[in-house]
């Protein structure tokens, strides 16, 4: 009975993995990493371990691959051993695609630089507006501090028995008007700071897009140009932006 049970465990003869008897055949056919199989592309290699298939496919001459110039628009797909002929017979076409991609990248970089310049101008204007509003708010608060409070005005009224009531009411009106001015300027400062923060985010995103466009490389060597260094240095010292990350770069055209 024990020798006939299909759920009894036996070790695979190739990899020694223990499995129920009922699963051994399927394991040997499609799963066992130590089984000998032939190349799935029928390239002529008939005896390789299943665990080595992935490594073999990276160099298999019959593996389907894309053209080296696919990143600029070539849609060719074929076996690896057909690539040399494709490259040799399509040099003008690949050169045209490369020139078009280069021109498009230059146009994009020019557009990004223009947008970046306009954002920097707006950023500078907003900074000046925030500074002016902050100073105006400070001046209004200093002026309001010189106006007697309602409690002290009422005290004056009690002390002088209602004499100069019109003057006291005038003081009250001035105090209330000053407070309204303070509140209005505070709201303008908050709105300007929000707008400044939004433009700061847009400027950072624009700089990142410009870097990604200008610094894309497929040679494995990255030359990283950090623009607007003084501003970035100030932001790092103030703790606003303490890290910078380079754009991605690649060791070949295919990644």
């Amino acid at each position: 009975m024990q020798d006939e049970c299909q759920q009894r465990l036996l070790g695979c003869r190739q990899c020694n993995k223990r499995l129920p008897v009922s699963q051994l055949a399927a394991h040997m056919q499609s799963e066992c990493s130590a089984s000998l199989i032939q190349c799935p592309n029928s390239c002529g290699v008939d005896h390789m371990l299943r665990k080595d298939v992935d490594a073999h496919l990276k160099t298999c001459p019959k593996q389907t691959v894309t053209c080296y110039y696919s990143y600029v628009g070539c849609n060719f797909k074929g076996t690896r051993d057909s690539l040399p002929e494709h490259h040799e017979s399509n040099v003008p076409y690949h050169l045209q695609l490369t020139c078009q991609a280069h021109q498009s990248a230059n146009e994009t970089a020019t557009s990004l630089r223009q947008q970046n310049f306009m954002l920097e101008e707006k950023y500078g204007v907003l900074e000046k507006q925030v500074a002016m509003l902050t100073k105006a708010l400070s001046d209004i608060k200093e002026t309001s501090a010189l106006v007697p409070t309602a409690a002290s005005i009422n005290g004056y009224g009690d002390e002088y028995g209602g004499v100069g009531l019109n003057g006291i009411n005038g003081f009250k009106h001035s105090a209330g008007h000053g407070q309204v001015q303070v509140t209005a300027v505070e709201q303008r400062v908050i709105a300007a700071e929000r707008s400044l923060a939004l433009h700061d985010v847009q400027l950072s995103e624009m700089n990142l897009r410009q870097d990604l466009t200008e610094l894309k490389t497929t040679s494995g060597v990255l030359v990283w140009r950090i623009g607007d260094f003084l501003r970035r240095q100030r932001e790092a010292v103030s703790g606003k932006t303490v890290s910078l990350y380079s754009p991605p770069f690649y060791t070949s055209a295919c990644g």
Side-chain angles (χ1 to χ4, degrees):
M1 180 68 69
Q2 184 176 357
D3 293 339
E4 296 177 358
C5 178
Q6 294 298 304
Q7 298 303 315
R8 70 186 188 280
L9 297 179
L10 285 181
C12 172
R13 294 193 301 270
Q14 303 292 340
C15 65
N16 296 321
K17 182 177 181 179
R18 293 179 63 80
L19 295 165
V21 172
S22 59
Q23 300 178 14
L24 273 179
H27 167 75
M28 292 287 294
Q29 182 69 26
S30 60
E31 296 179 2
C32 180
S33 61
S35 293
L36 292 175
I37 62 172
Q38 66 177 9
C39 172
N41 295 324
S42 301
C43 71
V45 177
D46 295 328
H47 297 85
M48 74 173 79
L49 298 179
R50 180 176 279 111
K51 65 180 181 180
D52 295 332
V53 170
D54 289 341
H56 167 74
L57 292 179
K58 292 179 180 179
T59 58
C60 177
K62 298 301 181 181
Q63 177 69 3
T64 299
V65 295
T66 58
C67 174
Y68 292 156
Y69 293 90
S70 60
Y71 73 100
V72 292
C74 182
N75 296 320
F76 172 83
K77 287 186 179 180
T79 58
R80 183 173 279 110
D81 58 2
S82 67
L83 270 182
E85 180 182 355
H86 167 73
H87 289 154
E88 184 176 352
S89 59
N90 288 276
V91 172
Y93 175 61
H94 290 156
L95 181 59
Q96 179 185 4
L97 289 177
T98 303
C99 291
Q100 290 174 351
H102 181 69
Q103 180 180 358
S104 176
N106 283 339
E107 292 174 352
T108 301
T110 300
S111 175
L112 289 175
R113 280 194 293 268
Q114 293 173 348
Q115 295 178 47
N116 189 23
F117 177 75
M118 291 188 292
L119 282 175
E120 286 179 343
E121 284 189 333
K122 291 181 180 180
Y123 186 86
V125 171
L126 286 172
E127 278 188 325
K128 292 180 180 179
Q129 290 179 351
V130 169
M132 292 173 59
L133 289 172
T134 301
K135 185 179 184 303
L137 178 61
S138 177
D139 292 342
I140 292 174
K141 286 183 177 179
E142 290 179 0
T143 303
S144 299
L146 300 176
V147 179
T149 62
S152 61
I153 291 174
N154 290 331
Y156 296 153
D158 293 339
E159 180 178 352
Y160 295 104
V163 177
L165 184 59
N166 290 334
I168 292 173
N169 289 334
F171 274 124
K172 288 184 176 181
H173 177 73
S174 298
H177 181 66
Q179 184 60 41
V180 170
Q181 285 184 312
V182 169
T183 302
V185 174
E186 284 179 340
Q187 291 175 349
R188 290 177 63 191
V189 169
I190 292 173
E193 288 179 342
R194 288 177 178 172
S195 182
L196 183 63
L198 177 61
H199 276 79
D200 193 23
V201 171
Q202 291 177 337
L203 184 59
S204 297
E205 291 179 350
M206 193 65 63
N207 284 332
L208 177 59
R209 290 178 59 192
Q210 182 176 340
D211 289 343
L212 290 175
T213 300
E214 293 182 345
L215 299 178
K216 181 179 179 180
T217 176
T218 59
S219 65
V221 178
L222 172 67
V223 179
W224 186 12
R225 181 182 65 82
I226 300 177
D228 201 1
F229 177 77
L230 293 179
R231 179 176 65 84
R232 294 176 186 268
Q233 186 181 40
R234 289 196 301 269
E235 292 178 352
V237 172
S238 65
K240 184 178 180 179
T241 304
V242 296
S243 300
L244 295 176
Y245 300 94
S246 74
F249 61 102
Y250 307 93
T251 57
S252 70
C254 297

